[in-house]
Amino acid sequence: MDNIPFIDLKTQYNKIKEIVDKSIIEVLESGQFILGNKVTELEEKLSQYASVKNTITCASGTDALVMALMALETKPNDAVIVPSFTFVASGESVVLAGAQPIFVDVDEKTFNITEDAIKKGIETAKQNNLNPAGIIAVDLFGQPAEYDIINAIAKENGMWVIADSAQGFGATYKNKKTGSLADITTTSFYPAKPFGAYGDGGAIFTDNDNLAEKLKSIRVHGYDHQDKYNNIRIGINGRMDTIQAAVMLEKLKIFDAEIKSRQTVADTYSNELKDILDTPYIEEHNQSVWAQYTIKIDADKREELKAKLSEKNIPTACFYPKPIHMQTAYKNFLTAGELSLSESLAKQVLSLPMHPYLEQDILEYIITHIKEAV
Ligand SMILES: *Cc1c(COP(=O)(O)O)cnc(C)c1O
């Protein structure tokens, strides 16, 4: 078997090549390269798709988080509770926005933030004379976090909630798509995400019109939409490229079919492997978009399995080998006590090839070799 791709973007492109090429050429011929009609059209379509009032596209998932924190007016004395077992940008954005991240632990089955962890985070904030201002929940590997519980704790404590759904756009929590499950939801169009562009991009979703107005201003240096050269707040350059919007408009048309294929791949893996491996746990009320299909295996056996599969040209990946609080740049930030689950998960997780175009024979080949190896 030739090298199997971990994520296959080429097959997807070949499928939509004609319409995407045409759409990109239209942008080139229009001379409109930043924002513009296609970006506005994409924002409208995404609002419809996620059943949310406002979508503000931007330049990346990281910018989406930073802009959200800026719109919420985080202050230096504000603590923001963030799970440690996630991609670095979830915590990095808090530091960039000038607030204090407090890293907390996650659930060992869903890998998402828990009620207990948030409560410990709030305690830690108070012990350090910080104002517990908000929570960033992450929909890790494509599964929504527990928003009913998270929103209730936030409300009790006068905090806001940002849903970092960089990996979870298109997923469902209690029959609702991600986008309106928190005060603000952010996502990423990084090519390897379930809803990826052909370059960088991102989006912010909110039902709050006031926050939406602010976010549009922050996206363009904090301008006043009535008086363009009078900047009324600090902003950034967070605009989306028109070419990426053209790509995303076409990709949205095949997105639901892709989610379905991802589910089929995940079901096949789980049915075949559940008796011999610790396969992913999805809550009954959740539908994941399977940004990753991630198993857990004893730390001392992970390298061996990885090596054996690699010999058969089957790629695997460890997301994430170091929780944020253990990374060099983040060692001096606060944690809510010991984050033992984050630390042990980092040693146990292994993600298998996952994308909508994984063919049955390749899937069988991967499963056969996993069974042989364990
Ligand atoms: C990818 C990712 C981001 C950042 O998105 P970019 O578009 O790469 O800036 C933020 N949070 C999580 C959980 C991610 O997976």
Side-chain angles (χ1 to χ4, degrees):
M1 184 77 66
D2 290 339
N3 274 326
I4 295 168
F6 188 70
I7 288 174
D8 183 359
L9 296 173
K10 278 188 202 155
T11 303
Q12 182 198 53
Y13 174 59
N14 285 332
K15 206 177 142 70
I16 53 176
K17 181 176 164 39
E18 229 170 278
I19 44 172
V20 166
D21 289 2
K22 185 169 161 275
S23 196
I24 289 176
I25 288 167
E26 271 172 35
V27 175
L28 296 177
E29 286 174 347
S30 78
Q32 167 90 53
F33 295 116
I34 288 170
L35 299 177
N37 290 344
K38 280 203 195 285
V39 172
T40 309
E41 188 187 338
L42 177 65
E43 290 175 339
E44 282 163 8
K45 294 249 159 80
L46 293 181
S47 293
Q48 272 167 26
Y49 183 84
S51 305
V52 63
K53 270 175 91 179
N54 305 283
T55 299
I56 300 92
T57 56
C58 60
S60 71
T62 307
D63 275 0
L65 285 164
V66 172
M67 287 167 61
L69 290 157
M70 290 171 85
L72 291 161
E73 299 183 25
T74 49
K75 314 239 166 8
N77 198 47
D78 283 347
V80 180
I81 292 166
V82 186
S84 188
F85 188 61
T86 172
F87 183 61
V88 66
S90 311
E92 177 192 39
S93 57
V94 178
V95 183
L96 284 171
Q100 297 292 327
I102 294 183
F103 294 107
V104 303
D105 221 347
V106 294
D107 183 74
E108 64 181 324
K109 282 159 80 187
T110 64
F111 313 144
N112 283 334
I113 201 166
T114 62
E115 180 172 17
D116 181 52
I118 293 170
K119 286 183 177 161
K120 283 188 182 144
I122 293 171
E123 275 313 301
T124 306
K126 289 178 180 164
Q127 281 158 10
N128 288 276
N129 295 319
L130 295 170
N131 165 43
I135 301 160
I136 296 182
V138 179
D139 301 335
L140 204 73
F141 303 150
Q143 168 162 225
E146 270 311 314
Y147 287 103
D148 283 353
I149 292 170
I150 296 163
N151 288 330
I153 307 175
K155 200 171 169 200
E156 238 170 71
N157 291 278
M159 299 164 82
W160 44 254
V161 179
I162 294 176
D164 176 355
S165 202
Q167 303 178 13
F169 186 68
T172 308
Y173 173 80
K174 298 185 178 173
N175 297 318
K176 281 175 90 175
K177 285 231 157 68
T178 56
S180 62
L181 301 169
D183 296 304
I184 299 185
T185 298
T186 63
T187 197
S188 162
F189 301 149
Y190 179 74
K193 310 281 175 171
F195 192 51
Y198 291 154
D200 275 314
I204 309 163
F205 310 97
T206 182
D207 281 324
N208 181 320
D209 295 339
N210 182 33
L211 284 173
E213 271 315 304
K214 264 183 171 172
L215 285 162
K216 280 182 201 156
S217 161
I218 289 168
R219 176 169 67 180
V220 191
H221 305 289
Y223 83 103
D224 177 358
H225 69 265
Q226 318 220 356
D227 181 3
K228 202 171 141 186
Y229 290 100
N230 181 35
N231 295 297
I232 50 176
R233 56 173 63 81
I234 304 297
I236 63 171
N237 170 5
R239 298 171 302 225
M240 188 177 191
D241 285 348
T242 319
I243 286 179
Q244 296 309 331
V247 170
M248 296 312 275
L249 279 166
E250 299 309 327
K251 285 219 189 182
L252 187 60
K253 295 175 187 164
I254 59 165
F255 187 43
D256 279 337
E258 290 193 338
I259 294 175
K260 234 173 129 193
S261 304
R262 285 175 180 276
Q263 185 62 49
T264 306
V265 171
D267 287 342
T268 309
Y269 273 139
S270 291
N271 288 335
E272 294 291 329
L273 300 173
K274 66 176 187 294
D275 295 332
I276 54 162
L277 278 172
D278 202 344
T279 50
Y281 172 80
I282 305 296
E283 294 283 358
E284 197 102 22
H285 53 254
N286 277 345
Q287 264 183 323
S288 177
V289 277
W290 300 103
Q292 303 296 340
Y293 184 91
T294 303
I295 59 161
K296 281 193 287 179
I297 182 163
D298 289 346
D300 55 331
K301 293 198 187 119
R302 184 171 72 178
E303 284 316 303
E304 192 189 324
L305 176 59
K306 207 171 161 35
K308 279 187 181 165
L309 294 177
S310 174
E311 269 172 35
K312 304 288 176 193
N313 290 332
I314 301 168
T316 55
C318 300
F319 301 120
Y320 294 91
K322 261 189 192 182
I324 303 179
H325 73 281
M326 294 177 77
Q327 298 177 26
T328 308
Y330 293 87
K331 282 185 181 151
N332 295 327
F333 291 100
L334 290 167
T335 64
E338 302 249 314
L339 310 184
S340 55
L341 291 170
S342 297
E343 292 182 17
S344 60
L345 284 174
K347 296 187 189 123
Q348 295 172 335
V349 288
L350 189 68
S351 300
L352 306 179
M354 166 54 81
H355 59 81
Y357 305 100
L358 199 52
E359 282 162 0
Q360 196 59 30
D361 58 331
I362 297 176
L363 196 50
E364 275 165 23
Y365 173 88
I366 296 169
I367 289 165
T368 303
H369 287 289
I370 293 173
K371 284 181 174 169
E372 229 165 69
V374 296

